[in-house]
Amino acid sequence: MNSTYDTDVLVVGAGPTGLTLAASLINRGIATTIVDAQATAAHTSRAAAVNARTLEVLEGLDVTRRLVKEGVHAPRFTIRDRSRVLMNLDFSGLTTDYPYTLLIPQNVTETLLNDRLLELGGSVVRAKSLTSVVQDDDGVTARFDDGDVVRARYVVGADGIHSSVREQAGIGFHGGAYGESFILADVHLDGEKPIEEVVLFWATAGLTVVAPLPDGSYRIVAPVVDAPEEPSAAFVQQVLDERGPGAGRIVVTDVVWSSRFRIHHRVADTYRAGRLLIAGDAAHVHSPAGGQGMNLGIQDAVVLADALATVLAGGPDTTLDEYSAARRPIASGVVSLTDRLTRLATLPRGLRPIRNAAIGMAGRVPAVRQALAMRLSGLVYR
Ligand SMILES: Cc1cc2nc3c(=O)[nH]c(=O)nc-3n(C[C@H](O)[C@H](O)[C@H](O)COP(=O)(O)OP(=O)(O)OC[C@H]3O[C@@H](n4cnc5c(N)ncnc54)[C@H](O)[C@@H]3O)c2cc1C
């Protein structure tokens, strides 16, 4: 087998995970090629919450200061039943330089990561779709839809939920699908809109997240049975009336962008099969309720860049197994946390007073609030 390499690491997929990984590797002087099947980057806002841990890990790439300038800083996170606060998490007491949730649309995060990649001398090769990967003792041969063949020492699938790298590596992706779809809407609001606060409303009909975005709009995320493909202002209003602080107390004036998506909760059996590795949505997917998906992917990428740099510098090969062993339980933990939040939010009406009393009591215990704030900010994974 040919042991001449075109690149040390081939990164498949230029979402937030792939961009972070490629920039981190190039920053360490590692020959890296990054490709994406799409002709242009996505323009939609999707994952809007960047947590404190992500901001900490992106410092080394010099991306954090750029993100912090562009986003809304929300130091408060409340869980509410209608307008009643069940739990008030104050992130401002967390020991970090970033004691808040940063709200910023995913396309802006990706643009800032891509800007940094360009500054470092890298660039995404588009539109180039991986069709096959075959590994041997010395490396990996990757083939693309345009007929190109690339030989790399390692290939990383940062290619999202339908990852072809994961499939071709034969890595299982177990879990299940949520029965409901999620609506995602960026809307303008009047009335009792939260300021510098992310609100998670618990209601029998389902949980609903309301969060401020930098352009003055608000992000609404809610699981809905049979949601329309592009939820209208009237539809989002109905969701907020049923689940928010009370009918008419928050008013949707217009929709900037809206979408519906279905989501699974799955974690890959392993993040490594020989010279093939996976990270981000290729390795784990779950409910967007806790705002963790993109954060986990970016954090996977930073840890994996360290591991690949160690191995490429002659360090032990087991460092890549350690990447998988360290990151996989974190994804499993996030899947169970978001599942628990979803189940608690959707308890039948008769059980709600008990739930509210229990969570109200728990919320008065500083250690409970601190533990939840540490989970949501990602600081627990330091
Ligand atoms: C509509 C929508 C709303 C969402 N809302 C939220 C939210 O509110 N909160 C939240 O936390 N998360 C949300 N998410 C999930 C969040 O967007 C993902 O967690 C995040 O994008 C994962 O990043 P990634 O880089 O791992 O994968 P992706 O962003 O999926 O990127 C994968 C990339 O790989 C490329 N690719 C795929 N196959 C190939 C191939 N064979 N060859 C080359 N390239 C390939 C794709 O073109 C894509 O650019 C949402 C997702 C969607 C779709």
Side-chain angles (χ1 to χ4, degrees):
M1 184 52 72
N2 174 14
S3 60
T4 309
Y5 302 99
D6 299 304
T7 186
D8 283 336
V9 182
L10 169 66
V11 179
V12 183
T17 306
L19 289 168
T20 303
L21 178 63
S24 302
L25 290 168
I26 292 172
N27 199 26
R28 288 170 164 80
I30 294 168
T32 305
T33 301
I34 175 168
V35 302
D36 197 284
Q38 299 298 321
T40 56
H43 299 297
T44 51
S45 64
R46 294 160 294 148
V50 175
N51 68 29
R53 184 61 190 146
T54 298
L55 293 171
E56 288 184 350
V57 302
L58 286 176
E59 273 175 358
L61 249 194
D62 192 27
V63 171
T64 302
R65 66 181 177 85
R66 308 168 200 228
L67 286 165
V68 161
K69 266 193 259 173
E70 299 284 335
V72 173
H73 300 196
R76 274 202 308 151
F77 179 96
T78 56
I79 299 178
R80 295 171 183 254
D81 180 359
R82 293 298 192 176
S83 54
R84 187 177 152 212
V85 175
L86 301 177
M87 189 167 305
N88 181 6
L89 302 182
D90 182 0
F91 286 21
S92 61
L94 294 174
T95 47
T96 171
D97 289 342
Y98 315 102
Y100 46 78
T101 304
L102 185 80
L103 282 319
I104 182 167
Q106 183 171 332
N107 54 315
V108 178
T109 300
E110 289 181 14
T111 299
L112 296 175
L113 287 166
N114 191 55
D115 288 351
R116 185 63 185 129
L117 178 70
L118 292 172
E119 274 176 17
L120 289 163
S123 68
V124 179
V125 184
R126 299 178 180 276
K128 199 173 181 72
S129 187
L130 179 87
T131 51
S132 83
V133 275
V134 177
Q135 59 174 324
D136 53 71
D137 289 347
D138 302 322
V140 186
T141 302
R143 293 178 195 278
F144 294 89
D145 57 348
D146 57 4
D148 197 7
V149 179
V150 171
R151 179 88 179 143
R153 291 178 199 270
Y154 293 94
V155 171
V156 180
D159 47 351
I161 181 167
H162 303 295
S163 170
S164 35
V165 175
R166 185 190 65 234
E167 279 167 19
Q168 295 191 39
I171 298 173
F173 199 39
H174 295 107
Y178 288 104
E180 297 163 308
S181 46
F182 280 79
I183 64 158
L184 186 77
D186 293 350
V187 298
H188 286 114
L189 297 176
D190 267 344
E192 296 175 22
K193 49 194 185 183
I195 313 265
E196 295 182 350
E197 177 182 342
V198 176
V199 183
L200 177 60
F201 288 104
W202 278 1
T204 311
L207 54 77
T208 299
V209 179
V210 181
L213 291 175
D215 64 353
S217 65
Y218 282 78
R219 159 62 54 88
I220 315 290
V221 184
V224 175
V225 180
D226 289 334
E229 209 167 306
E230 285 184 23
S232 63
F235 189 89
V236 180
Q237 183 68 58
Q238 193 189 331
V239 167
L240 289 177
D241 284 347
E242 278 175 15
R243 308 181 186 188
R249 291 173 71 170
I250 296 183
V251 178
V252 180
T253 56
D254 67 288
V255 174
V256 181
W257 172 75
S258 70
S259 173
R260 167 193 71 188
F261 65 108
R262 291 187 187 278
I263 202 98
H264 295 235
H265 45 97
R266 296 180 188 278
V267 180
D269 293 346
T270 173
Y271 289 10
R272 179 192 191 187
R275 292 175 174 275
L276 304 178
L277 297 124
I278 52 174
D281 273 21
H284 45 74
V285 286
H286 44 79
S287 158
Q292 301 289 313
M294 183 183 71
N295 288 291
L296 278 192
I298 290 174
Q299 292 163 32
D300 288 345
V302 171
V303 176
L304 179 54
D306 278 344
L308 282 165
T310 302
V311 173
L312 287 165
D317 176 77
T318 50
T319 311
L320 293 174
D321 297 324
E322 285 161 18
Y323 155 73
S324 176
R327 298 302 301 169
R328 201 180 163 277
I330 294 177
S332 300
V334 167
V335 169
S336 16
L337 175 70
T338 53
D339 267 5
R340 271 204 301 278
L341 283 176
T342 304
R343 275 203 303 275
L344 277 171
T346 53
L347 278 182
R349 191 172 292 274
L351 295 176
R352 277 167 61 187
I354 303 169
R355 174 202 70 187
N356 292 357
I359 199 81
M361 264 160 53
R364 282 197 285 277
V365 179
V368 172
R369 291 201 305 272
Q370 172 77 3
L372 195 51
M374 289 293 283
R375 289 286 291 273
L376 292 174
S377 63
L379 295 174
V380 73
Y381 307 124
R382 264 181 187 145

